Amino acid sequence: MELTTVWFLLIAVLWTGYFVLEGFDFGVGILLPFLGGSDGERRTIVKTIGPVWDGNEVWLLVAGGATFAAFPEWYATLFSGFYLPLFLILLALIVRGVALEYRGKSDSTKGWDRAFFWGSLGPALLWGVAFANMVRGVPLDAGHEYTGTLFTLLNPFALLGGVALLLLCTQHGAVFLALRTTGELRKGAARIAATIAPITVAVVLVFLLMARAGVLSWVAVAVAAIGLAVALIATLRGRDGWAFTGSAVAIAAFVATLFTSMWPNVLPALDPANSLTVTNAASSPYTLTVMTWVAAIFTPVVLGYQAWTYWVFRRRLTGAYSA
C-alpha cells in the first residue's frame, strides 16, 4: 500500500476518533439547557465530561497537523477556501473551553452555560457543513485555489450534512449521559435519546445515501443504519453501554462514508480536472516515511493514555455530585 493511501486512511481514523469522542462532548453541551433543571444537575452534567473533554480535542489537533504535513496542498486550499467557517469553529471551541473552565469559579453560571451550549452546537453544525462540501465538491481553479464565496458553501446538501452531524452528536451525548449518570437525570437523557432517534435515523440516512459513492460507501451506510438501530433498541431496553456502542459505531460509519465518498480525492472540485487527489496534494515520499515512523512510535502512547483516563473515570456520577 502506498504511503499516500496510508496517510489518507490515518487522517480518516483521526477524524473518526475526534467525532466519536468529541461528539458526545458536543451533545452534552447541547443538552445542558434541556436536562439541567437545577444548578446541581447542570454541574453533574458538566462533570461527566470534565476529566476528558480537553483530551478529546487532541484528536482535532493531530488530525489538522497530520493533514498539514501529509497533504499540504489539501490543508492550504481547505483553510483558505473555508476560512470563515473554520474561524467560527475555532472561536466556538475557545468560548466553550473558557466556559467549562470558568463556570465553576463564578457565582452565576447562566452566562457560562449559554456559552457552553453555543460553543457545542456551533462546531457540531459547522463541521457537518464543511465535510459535506468536501464530499460534494467545491469550485477550484487550475491552481487549486478556491473560487467560491461563503454562500457557495451554504448549499442544501451541505446544510443537510450539518443538521445530520448535529443530530448525531446530540443523540450521542444523550446516550453518554444515560451511561454516566443515575436517577432522574439518567431517565431524562434516555428519554431524549429515544425521542430524537427516529429523526436522527431519517436525516442521517438521507444524507449518507446522497453522499455515498462506491461499494465501500454503501457498506458504511449499512453499518451506520445498524449502529443507529442498535442505539435506539438498547436505549429502549435500558442497556446504556450497548446504546453508546451503537451510537459510536454510527458516527464512525458516518465519517467512513464521507472519506470513502471522497477517495481518491482529498478535496473534489466541481470540475474534476482541478480536484486535489492523494497524489497531487501529498508531501514527498521522504516526509511521509518519517511521519509514518513517528506515528508508529507515539500513537500507541497517546491511545494508551486516553484509554487509561476513561478507565479511571468510568463510574457513573451519583446524587453526591448534585448537591
Side-chain angles (χ1 to χ4, degrees):
M1 184 183 294
E2 296 184 0
L3 287 179
T4 52
T5 303
V6 169
W7 275 97
F8 180 84
L9 293 174
L10 286 176
I11 289 171
V13 169
L14 290 171
W15 279 109
T16 300
Y18 174 68
F19 284 122
V20 169
L21 297 177
E22 189 80 329
F24 65 72
D25 289 345
F26 290 150
V28 168
I30 293 166
L31 292 172
L32 183 66
F34 306 100
L35 274 175
S38 66
D39 182 64
E41 288 181 336
R42 289 191 292 273
R43 281 192 284 125
T44 300
I45 290 171
V46 173
K47 282 178 179 290
T48 61
I49 64 170
V52 298
W53 71 268
D54 49 352
N56 293 342
E57 289 190 347
V58 171
W59 289 82
L60 173 61
L61 299 176
V62 178
T67 303
F68 172 77
F71 300 101
E73 282 283 336
W74 182 14
Y75 183 93
T77 302
L78 183 65
F79 275 76
S80 59
F82 291 48
Y83 178 81
L84 184 56
L86 293 176
F87 174 77
L88 292 175
I89 290 172
L90 177 61
L91 181 62
L93 291 176
I94 292 172
V95 169
R96 175 173 164 268
V98 171
L100 285 169
E101 290 293 339
Y102 281 91
R103 75 177 306 278
K105 301 176 176 64
S106 175
D107 294 332
S108 175
T109 61
K110 290 183 178 179
W112 297 121
D113 288 344
R114 283 194 291 268
F116 182 31
F117 170 76
W118 290 108
S120 301
L121 186 148
L125 177 68
L126 292 174
W127 278 129
V129 171
F131 272 92
N133 274 294
M134 283 192 276
V135 171
R136 172 181 177 268
V138 294
L140 301 178
D141 61 20
H144 301 143
E145 295 290 333
Y146 178 75
T147 59
T149 66
L150 173 63
F151 295 104
T152 306
L153 302 176
L154 301 178
N155 55 80
F157 177 74
L159 294 175
L160 179 63
V163 174
L165 186 57
L166 177 63
L167 287 169
L168 270 176
C169 290
T170 304
Q171 184 178 8
H172 199 41
V175 297
F176 174 77
L177 285 172
L179 179 65
R180 295 282 284 116
T181 58
T182 60
E184 292 301 318
L185 198 53
R186 178 199 165 276
K187 292 178 181 178
R191 185 166 54 250
I192 289 178
T195 301
I196 67 173
I199 302 172
T200 303
V201 170
V203 174
V204 169
L205 290 185
V206 168
F207 171 73
L208 292 182
L209 289 172
M210 294 173 65
R212 90 286 175 274
V215 175
L216 288 177
S217 295
W218 278 110
V219 173
V221 172
V223 173
I226 293 170
L228 289 171
V230 169
L232 174 57
I233 295 170
T235 298
L236 295 174
R237 294 185 175 182
R239 304 295 295 274
D240 300 328
W242 281 107
F244 182 78
T245 301
S247 181
V249 168
I251 292 181
F254 180 88
V255 179
T257 305
L258 301 180
F259 277 88
T260 54
S261 297
M262 286 193 291
W263 172 264
N265 299 314
V266 292
L267 186 59
L270 297 180
D271 181 355
N274 298 333
S275 293
L276 282 167
T277 69
V278 292
T279 302
N280 64 23
S283 293
S284 67
Y286 178 77
T287 300
L288 295 177
T289 300
V290 172
M291 288 175 59
T292 302
W293 280 105
V294 172
I297 294 171
F298 289 103
T299 300
V301 176
V302 175
L303 291 176
Y305 170 76
Q306 277 215 304
W308 175 81
T309 302
Y310 277 96
W311 176 256
V312 169
F313 296 101
R314 67 189 183 278
R315 298 188 183 279
R316 293 179 185 264
L317 298 184
T318 64
Y321 293 89
S322 301

